Amino acid sequence: MIVTALMEQGKVIPLDAALAKNAAAFGLQYKLPLADSIIFATASMYSAVIWTQDSDFEGLRNVKFVSKASN
């Protein structure tokens, strides 16, 4: 199945103390909800780009925000 093959290309990152502290700091700094702050901290740790339509991420570094209205 295609979805399974794509999921196998991913990597599970454990939420350790260092990542949790970074997520908490980003949450406070950017007023992000908990899940978003964990996503942002993880992406920051790995220099990854976040592609999203979630407006909570709009304007943050290494985020490619695409408005839902532009679809």
Side-chain angles (χ1 to χ4, degrees), residues 23-67:
F26 286 134
L28 290 171
Q29 181 178 0
Y30 299 117
K31 298 182 180 19
L32 293 170
L34 178 61
D36 291 349
S37 68
I38 294 169
I39 292 166
F40 188 72
T42 304
S44 295
M45 179 182 286
Y46 289 90
S47 301
V49 175
I50 299 172
W51 285 83
T52 186
Q53 290 184 313
D54 183 340
S55 60
D56 289 335
F57 291 98
E58 188 173 8
L60 299 180
R61 69 179 185 279
N62 293 328
V63 171
K64 301 297 182 185
F65 174 74
V66 179
S67 171

